[in-house]
Structure formats: C-alpha cells, structure tokens
Amino acid sequence: MDRRIKYTKKIIKDTFITLLSKKELNKITVSEICKIADINRATFYRYYLDVYDLLNHIEKDFEEELKNAYHPENEDENTIFLFSKSMLTVFLENKELVKILFSTNENIYFLNNILEIAYEKCKEKWQKELPELSTEDMEYAAIFIFNGALGVVNFWVKNNFNKDIDEISRIIEKLSHSGTRRFIYNK
C-alpha cells in the first residue's frame, strides 16, 4: 500500500478514535472527521462508506492484529500465560481504541473470533492430554476460562491498565488453571 494512503487512513482513524473517546458514535459526522483530519470528504469516501464502516474497518484491523500476535514456536510455548501476554500487548499498544471498545459491552463482540482461536488451541491440547474428555465438557471449560479472562481484561481496562501485562497474564493463567482443574482433570 502506498505510503500516502497509509498516512491518510491513519489520520482518519486516529481522528475518529479521538472523537469516539469524547462522544457517541451516532454523534460523529464524516464532515467533522474531515475537518479535524484536514482532508476533503471525497478522500474519506474513497476508503469508507460512513462512520460505521470506518469503525468496522478499525475493529477488523485490530482483530487481525490480535490474530497475528500469538504463534507459538513449539508446544512448550502454547500456554495461557503466553497467549494472554501476546493479546494484552496488542491491547496496550491500542490503549485508546481498547478503552472505547470496552466502554460498552456490545462493542466487544469482535473478540469472538479471537476466542474461537483460543478455544481451538485449548481443544487441541485437551484432546491430546485428555482424550476421554467430551466436546461438551471442553466447551464448558473454554467458556468458563474465556469469560473469566474477558472479565479480568475488562477490569484491567476500566482501571486504566494499572497492572503490568505479565501480572495480568499470570492472574488469567492462575485463575484458568485453578478454576478448571477439578472440572477437567477429576472427571
């Protein structure tokens, strides 16, 4: 992609995120974005249909960044701690966007695809270690882990990222193991 196009899209997105941190989505106009970003409307419409399409692109880009953040080299690196740490690093790099996305629960639906990836990794590991575990039990355990982790992350975001990424990753890993250990390993 051309450097100028990247720059223009970045200015549009940054302006939009700044506006979104100050007011509701339905109160933001294309004209307002263009005025602040110092671009004309035709430039905006070259890349986006409207502010909702812009938000959709931002969420998709963020989701893609999250998907690409974690690629373990070997089985020893496939841990809840390392997965959490890689996701939280991306969250911290996109602090303002994450604050906005977590400000209302309806905006975190985009994380479902990330949770699906995590579930598949857990499922692979559990199928190897516990072949007798049913798919339904794996799903219950995964739902417990992911909803709990999402709650921890949400609390971290609401507290302005007050703890270190390693500390939050350890909390998620510890709660995930302790909370599901009896359910999974003592069946």
Side-chain angles (χ1 to χ4, degrees):
M1 184 185 315
D2 183 294
R3 223 173 359 118
R4 290 173 299 189
I5 293 171
K6 276 185 180 178
Y7 176 77
T8 302
K9 284 183 166 187
K10 181 175 178 1
I11 292 296
I12 292 170
K13 288 177 181 182
D14 290 349
T15 300
F16 178 69
I17 289 170
T18 300
L19 287 169
L20 203 51
S21 71
K22 296 175 184 174
K23 55 174 49 179
E24 293 178 30
L25 177 62
N26 62 359
K27 304 269 193 248
I28 299 172
T29 65
V30 171
S31 296
E32 184 178 22
I33 294 169
C34 292
K35 182 179 179 184
I36 295 168
D38 197 23
I39 60 167
N40 63 47
R41 291 172 60 85
T43 302
F44 180 93
Y45 288 120
R46 185 176 304 136
Y47 306 114
Y48 310 105
L49 300 172
D50 55 24
V51 293
Y52 298 96
D53 185 48
L54 173 56
L55 179 60
N56 190 23
H57 276 82
I58 290 170
E59 287 177 349
K60 287 202 182 309
D61 289 348
F62 183 61
E63 183 182 312
E64 203 55 41
E65 200 175 337
L66 285 169
K67 282 181 184 177
N68 294 324
Y70 181 69
H71 296 286
E73 300 275 328
N74 58 53
E75 192 59 34
D76 294 338
E77 292 179 356
N78 191 8
T79 67
I80 292 171
F81 174 81
L82 291 174
F83 180 81
S84 298
K85 185 173 177 173
S86 62
M87 296 296 111
L88 295 175
T89 299
V90 174
F91 277 44
L92 206 52
E93 290 168 354
N94 294 276
K95 230 178 183 177
E96 291 310 309
L97 175 62
V98 169
K99 284 180 189 178
I100 292 163
L101 294 174
F102 274 81
S103 66
T104 61
N105 289 336
E106 69 220 29
N107 284 336
I108 57 175
Y109 74 89
F110 72 94
L111 289 174
N112 286 341
N113 289 335
I114 305 308
L115 297 180
E116 283 296 319
I117 293 167
Y119 172 67
E120 288 305 317
K121 291 188 183 308
C122 286
K123 189 175 166 183
E124 279 175 35
K125 191 171 185 171
W126 291 338
Q127 284 174 333
K128 284 179 191 169
E129 293 176 8
L130 303 157
E132 72 284 356
L133 192 63
S134 73
T135 302
E136 184 180 29
D137 286 348
M138 279 188 254
E139 287 179 15
Y140 278 123
I143 288 167
F144 179 83
I145 290 169
F146 303 138
N147 283 316
L150 193 55
V152 169
V153 171
N154 192 22
F155 188 71
W156 179 59
V157 171
K158 295 225 185 295
N159 283 291
N160 204 27
F161 308 90
N162 63 338
K163 292 194 183 291
D164 179 75
I165 291 172
D166 283 351
E167 189 174 355
I168 295 296
S169 298
R170 274 190 211 92
I171 289 169
I172 290 170
E173 182 176 52
K174 192 172 186 178
L175 288 171
S176 297
H177 284 299
S178 299
T180 60
R181 185 171 302 279
R182 270 194 215 135
F183 181 76
I184 291 175
Y185 292 100
N186 292 328
K187 271 245 173 213

